[in-house]
Amino acid sequence: MIRLDTRDAGFADAFTALVEGRREASADVTRDVAAIIRAVRDDGEAAVEAFTRKLDRHDLAETGWRIEPATCAAAYAALDPSLRDALDLAAARIRAYHERQKPTDSDYVDEAGVRLGARWRGVDAAGLYVPGGRAAYPSSLLMNAIPAKVAGVGRLVMVTPTPDGQINDLVLAAAHLAGVDEVWRIGGAQAIAALAYGAGRILPVDVVTGPGNAWVAEAKRQVYGVVGIDMVAGPSEIVVVADALNDPQWTAADLLSQAEHDVTTQSILFTDDAAYADRVAAAVDEELAILPTAAVARAAWDANGAIIVVESLDAACPLVDRLAPEHLQLAVDDPQALFDRVRHAGSVFLGRHTPEAIGDYVAGPNHVLPTGRRARFASGLSVLDFMKRTSFLGLDEAALAKLGPATVALAHAEGLPAHARSVALRLRLNR
Amino acid sequence: MIRLDTRDAGFADAFTALVEGRREASADVTRDVAAIIRAVRDDGEAAVEAFTRKLDRHDLAETGWRIEPATCAAAYAALDPSLRDALDLAAARIRAYHERQKPTDSDYVDEAGVRLGARWRGVDAAGLYVPGGRAAYPSSLLMNAIPAKVAGVGRLVMVTPTPDGQINDLVLAAAHLAGVDEVWRIGGAQAIAALAYGAGRILPVDVVTGPGNAWVAEAKRQVYGVVGIDMVAGPSEIVVVADALNDPQWTAADLLSQAEHDVTTQSILFTDDAAYADRVAAAVDEELAILPTAAVARAAWDANGAIIVVESLDAACPLVDRLAPEHLQLAVDDPQALFDRVRHAGSVFLGRHTPEAIGDYVAGPNHVLPTGRRARFASGLSVLDFMKRTSFLGLDEAALAKLGPATVALAHAEGLPAHARSVALRLRLNR
């Protein structure tokens, strides 16, 4: 953890180093991933079987390629009732929030008599990647699958690795709840390739979303353009802006809730009170002493954590914008005043009683959010990621008479005479 | 040009070959582009100067890096009045169409007492690539710059190569009209790298859009994630669905308006009348005999053109969906009936008096559209490409009491105790 104060000499350089620090995996996986994708394109199912045997240590011919809907339904039925209720609540609230994202079609005739508009439709098929092992989160499945269903996607395909054949029942239960149509027990770059290009029994999809390790992320980047993808995701991060009226233990828990995900995650506190900063630092140590995930959380906090003392919380806002964090918690009495001053953040958590974890599960907004300063230009996952828009226009003879001459002039100016002619012939113009 | 009939034996295979045929540049530019980007990141301005000297054959230190706003204003003032009127009309109509794309913020309190919403903002800075030479289209500049302005982008940066120092006055005039803030006379992968990472006097941007050659397209793909990009674009294509009541000469001109762009473009006609197909094929030859751009158009038509006779125009719709064309012209009396049956197309041109060229210039919808079957999942350029959405939520103590227990249950089920604790502490729960 580093401790900074905006009044220190050298603050500007130290903060720039924090902003520009790369926490993303540096492993050169590009070539390996390209080879896997090539193999799946060339050899289809056989390549997927071979990579699964090697990397997940089970034989698809024996374990089976698919997990049947009945298995997912049984996993859901077997859930502890309180957990099932929690998943149901999460799904219902996520659905309600995303229903409001559905775009409206337009269709109008303007003053020139031109019919204009845009029509939104869900894609035919979407593929959802769900990591295996430690990072297999049913909440992530809901956050990916429900927007796709709301978008009207016809075929919802999930891929998830089952290392050593081990299946995660909680993920299957969530797949049932979310209405996933197909579940394939494959993972890694080979699963992304199978979704993008198809592989025998696995038919190709149009959009691929979902979190994954560096191989999965690189595979998504390489198939981008063949299919749509959600985004290039990096390690998670949180920025907490808090005054001294917060319980330091609450703030410490908030910072650690990000840190426990992975050693590459980043937690940053801005506060206007140096004594409060000390109390939070001490509370972090106390929490780490009892936290079951302390090994990971401590490593992340030590390597990437920061506490920054600012002259006023208003002065934190431009610094927050430079970080453009995935998650921003504004733990003050009047969070709206700070929110109005911040331009760049994936999701904002307003007030002292809105810990980020609420947004991870049940609040409703998507928890798939832009990381690594990408909130400058990118947005969280939404229904729009599973839809596409077709624009349309229609002119009659009178409207073409109005717009045609300008089109002919511009087409000739650009050296495109056939463009001009397609209009001029209809107008019976002599050029 | 190939001629197919759905009733022929072998149609299915021939059509699949047409759908799957790759027309995209196969040159392996990946490594070259990576080296250029690396050089610009390492050496900044010096690298950009060196690549410009080598590839565009002029010295930025002598010709100057920037084209001043006054130069653009002068180019606009010097336009032939009818051309200026045409550009003005195009800009006004493009602006009017894109104004309607502006998303609405949401901010509401749901029945659990949770404040929820989403806030859209324009990105701080956008970079527009404008090709030099033959493909320097002022219309493309308008189609990229105006949505960015409507989105509220603060800083609009244009890069355009000036090979041998030659400046395209029409493009500068359009830059003035569209309100571009900075014009830099650089191009190629080095310009994309300068936009994404900054290079000395060129400050980095957040989103990069605009057409370009294979190097530019690959550079955009490689910086994707560092900045937002519009899309991976390939050669242009048109599908015309026409009955025998159309003038074959009109249809021929429509097909050739796509073909004249580049030898890689594709023009496809579906018709339900074999004799009409013959007449269009003959009319294409007649048009080619007089077209100034016949060399390119003939090469494209010969290599990639197709005329497909179908039993009924309804039967063409599922075939159109498999092609998911960038442009779809429905040249019939009741285009809506066919439009209702088509799911995948970038933009649809309804009726006999709506040639695609109208949409290239003055109709209003964007002419930057998904190519190469990407209309299955991608949309034309829009205001949304220059904006990002921040979700937000706010809970008070009562709302947290409602949603907290489910969050705690799910966090524990996912093995994330600090997540659970950040909520439980606030609820004074004992876990």
Side-chain angles (χ1 to χ4, degrees):
Chain A
M1 187 266 285
I2 60 163
R3 171 97 176 235
L4 303 175
D5 189 306
T6 53
R7 282 152 297 198
D8 291 346
F11 172 77
D13 287 347
F15 187 74
T16 296
L18 191 69
V19 169
E20 294 181 353
R22 275 177 53 86
R23 293 170 292 121
E24 314 212 351
S26 60
D28 186 356
V29 297
T30 307
R31 204 181 321 170
D32 290 353
V33 166
I36 291 173
I37 292 174
R38 171 59 52 196
V40 172
R41 291 186 68 179
D42 288 347
D43 300 330
E45 287 184 357
V48 175
E49 279 191 350
F51 287 118
T52 302
R53 209 176 294 117
K54 181 179 164 195
L55 300 169
D56 294 340
R57 299 164 303 280
H58 68 99
D59 191 331
L60 287 166
E62 288 168 22
T63 52
W65 283 69
R66 283 186 70 162
I67 297 172
E68 294 305 321
T71 308
C72 297
Y76 176 77
L79 283 179
D80 174 271
S82 70
L83 197 55
R84 191 168 62 224
D85 289 348
L87 267 187
D88 286 349
L89 177 68
R93 292 188 56 89
I94 295 166
R95 189 172 297 113
Y97 184 84
H98 288 80
E99 283 283 353
R100 289 175 175 250
Q101 291 177 337
K102 278 162 75 173
T104 315
D105 291 353
S106 66
D107 190 348
Y108 61 100
V109 177
D110 74 5
E111 66 290 349
V114 180
R115 182 179 168 199
L116 293 165
R119 191 181 75 175
W120 289 90
R121 289 287 182 278
V123 301
D124 287 347
L128 312 182
Y129 192 91
V130 178
R134 179 168 157 69
Y137 297 143
S139 59
S140 286
L141 191 151
L142 297 182
M143 291 288 182
N144 280 271
I146 292 173
K149 292 296 275 191
V150 171
V153 172
R155 180 176 154 253
L156 199 51
V157 184
M158 167 179 149
V159 293
T160 188
T162 55
D164 302 307
Q166 289 290 321
I167 290 174
N168 182 320
D169 282 332
L170 201 51
V171 166
L172 298 192
H176 170 77
L177 176 59
V180 169
D181 297 299
E182 304 169 15
V183 178
W184 302 91
R185 49 197 304 174
I186 59 175
Q190 60 274 20
I192 301 295
L195 288 172
Y197 293 101
R201 67 194 82 190
I202 303 175
L203 299 178
V205 302
D206 302 299
V207 170
V208 174
T209 72
N213 63 18
W215 274 259
V216 171
E218 175 62 20
K220 282 169 66 183
R221 181 197 281 276
Q222 290 190 22
V223 300
Y224 168 62
V226 177
V227 292
I229 67 171
D230 49 349
M231 64 182 73
V232 178
S236 201
E237 69 239 352
I238 191 171
V239 167
V240 178
V241 178
D243 59 26
L245 299 178
N246 289 279
D247 185 328
Q249 202 184 9
W250 295 11
T251 303
D254 296 344
L255 295 167
L256 292 174
S257 74
Q258 208 56 225
E260 75 176 338
H261 271 297
D262 190 278
V263 296
T264 60
T265 57
Q266 182 162 55
S267 306
I268 297 177
L269 170 67
F270 286 94
T271 183
D272 56 355
D273 187 305
Y276 181 72
D278 295 338
R279 290 200 293 277
V280 172
V284 166
D285 287 338
E286 287 164 28
E287 288 289 308
L288 283 171
I290 57 168
L291 196 66
T293 51
V296 168
R298 189 190 309 276
W301 178 246
D302 287 351
N304 308 312
I307 295 181
I308 302 173
V309 179
V310 287
E311 291 191 62
S312 72
L313 295 186
D314 280 358
C317 295
L319 302 175
V320 169
D321 272 335
R322 287 184 60 197
L323 290 161
E326 181 187 14
H327 305 105
L328 172 63
Q329 246 181 260
L330 300 174
V332 295
D333 280 335
D334 181 12
Q336 188 63 43
L338 293 175
F339 186 29
D340 289 343
R341 287 187 174 82
V342 169
R343 291 196 312 280
H344 307 310
S347 193
V348 179
F349 301 80
L350 301 163
R352 305 186 196 284
H353 287 88
T354 314
E356 185 274 328
I358 283 287
D360 280 341
Y361 296 106
V362 297
N366 212 287
H367 80 195
V368 181
L369 295 164
T371 56
R373 301 184 60 227
R374 296 187 186 90
R376 291 176 294 122
F377 58 84
S379 310
L381 190 68
S382 84
V383 167
L384 299 184
D385 290 302
F386 299 98
M387 303 187 79
K388 77 283 179 43
R389 190 187 60 246
T390 297
S391 58
F392 59 86
L393 52 145
L395 283 70
D396 59 15
E397 208 167 345
L400 188 64
K402 285 182 195 159
L403 302 191
T407 300
V408 171
L410 289 166
H412 279 300
E414 290 190 351
L416 297 171
H419 284 65
R421 202 158 156 80
S422 72
V423 174
L425 283 168
R426 285 170 166 90
L427 296 178
R428 291 164 184 85
L429 293 177
N430 212 5
R431 51 185 296 195
Chain B
M1 188 266 287
I2 60 164
R3 171 96 177 236
L4 302 175
D5 189 307
T6 53
R7 283 152 296 199
D8 290 345
F11 172 78
D13 288 346
F15 187 74
T16 296
L18 191 68
V19 169
E20 295 180 355
R22 275 175 54 86
R23 292 170 293 119
E24 314 209 355
S26 60
D28 186 358
V29 297
T30 307
R31 205 182 320 170
D32 290 352
V33 166
I36 291 172
I37 293 174
R38 171 57 54 195
V40 173
R41 291 185 68 180
D42 288 347
D43 301 329
E45 287 185 356
V48 175
E49 279 191 350
F51 287 119
T52 302
R53 208 176 296 118
K54 179 179 166 195
L55 299 169
D56 294 340
R57 300 165 302 281
H58 68 101
D59 192 331
L60 287 166
E62 288 168 22
T63 53
W65 284 69
R66 282 185 72 163
I67 298 173
E68 294 304 321
T71 308
C72 297
Y76 177 77
L79 282 179
D80 174 272
S82 71
L83 198 53
R84 191 168 61 223
D85 289 348
L87 267 187
D88 286 350
L89 178 68
R93 293 188 56 88
I94 294 165
R95 189 172 297 114
Y97 184 84
H98 287 80
E99 283 283 353
R100 289 174 174 252
Q101 290 178 338
K102 279 161 75 173
T104 315
D105 291 353
S106 66
D107 189 348
Y108 61 100
V109 176
D110 74 4
E111 66 289 350
V114 180
R115 182 179 167 199
L116 293 165
R119 191 181 76 175
W120 289 90
R121 288 288 182 276
V123 301
D124 287 347
L128 312 182
Y129 191 91
V130 178
R134 180 169 157 67
Y137 297 143
S139 59
S140 286
L141 191 152
L142 297 182
M143 292 289 182
N144 281 271
I146 292 173
K149 293 295 276 190
V150 171
V153 172
R155 180 175 155 251
L156 200 51
V157 184
M158 167 179 149
V159 292
T160 188
T162 56
D164 301 307
Q166 289 290 320
I167 289 175
N168 182 320
D169 283 332
L170 202 52
V171 166
L172 298 192
H176 170 76
L177 176 59
V180 169
D181 297 298
E182 303 169 16
V183 178
W184 301 91
R185 50 197 303 174
I186 60 174
Q190 61 273 21
I192 301 296
L195 289 172
Y197 293 101
R201 66 194 84 192
I202 303 174
L203 299 178
V205 302
D206 302 300
V207 169
V208 174
T209 71
N213 64 17
W215 273 260
V216 171
E218 175 61 21
K220 283 169 64 182
R221 181 197 280 275
Q222 290 190 21
V223 301
Y224 168 61
V226 177
V227 293
I229 67 171
D230 48 349
M231 64 182 71
V232 177
S236 200
E237 68 237 355
I238 191 170
V239 167
V240 179
V241 177
D243 59 26
L245 299 178
N246 290 279
D247 184 329
Q249 204 184 7
W250 295 10
T251 303
D254 296 344
L255 295 168
L256 292 174
S257 74
Q258 207 56 225
E260 74 176 339
H261 272 297
D262 190 279
V263 296
T264 59
T265 57
Q266 182 161 54
S267 306
I268 298 177
L269 169 68
F270 287 94
T271 183
D272 55 355
D273 187 307
Y276 182 72
D278 295 338
R279 291 200 293 277
V280 172
V284 166
D285 288 337
E286 288 164 27
E287 289 288 310
L288 283 171
I290 57 168
L291 195 66
T293 51
V296 168
R298 189 191 307 275
W301 178 247
D302 286 351
N304 309 310
I307 295 181
I308 303 173
V309 179
V310 287
E311 291 192 62
S312 73
L313 295 188
D314 280 358
C317 295
L319 301 175
V320 169
D321 272 335
R322 287 183 60 197
L323 290 163
E326 181 187 14
H327 305 106
L328 172 63
Q329 244 181 261
L330 300 174
V332 296
D333 281 334
D334 181 11
Q336 188 64 42
L338 293 176
F339 186 29
D340 289 343
R341 287 189 175 81
V342 170
R343 290 196 313 281
H344 306 311
S347 194
V348 178
F349 302 81
L350 300 163
R352 304 186 197 284
H353 287 87
T354 314
E356 185 273 328
I358 283 286
D360 280 341
Y361 296 106
V362 297
N366 212 287
H367 79 197
V368 180
L369 295 164
T371 57
R373 300 184 60 228
R374 296 186 185 91
R376 292 176 293 121
F377 57 83
S379 310
L381 191 68
S382 84
V383 167
L384 298 185
D385 290 301
F386 299 98
M387 303 187 80
K388 77 288 181 35
R389 191 186 59 247
T390 297
S391 58
F392 59 86
L393 53 145
L395 283 71
D396 58 15
E397 208 168 344
L400 188 65
K402 284 183 194 159
L403 302 191
T407 300
V408 171
L410 288 165
H412 279 301
E414 290 190 352
L416 297 171
H419 284 64
R421 203 158 155 80
S422 72
V423 174
L425 283 169
R426 285 169 165 91
L427 296 177
R428 293 166 182 83
L429 292 177
N430 211 2
R431 51 181 298 191

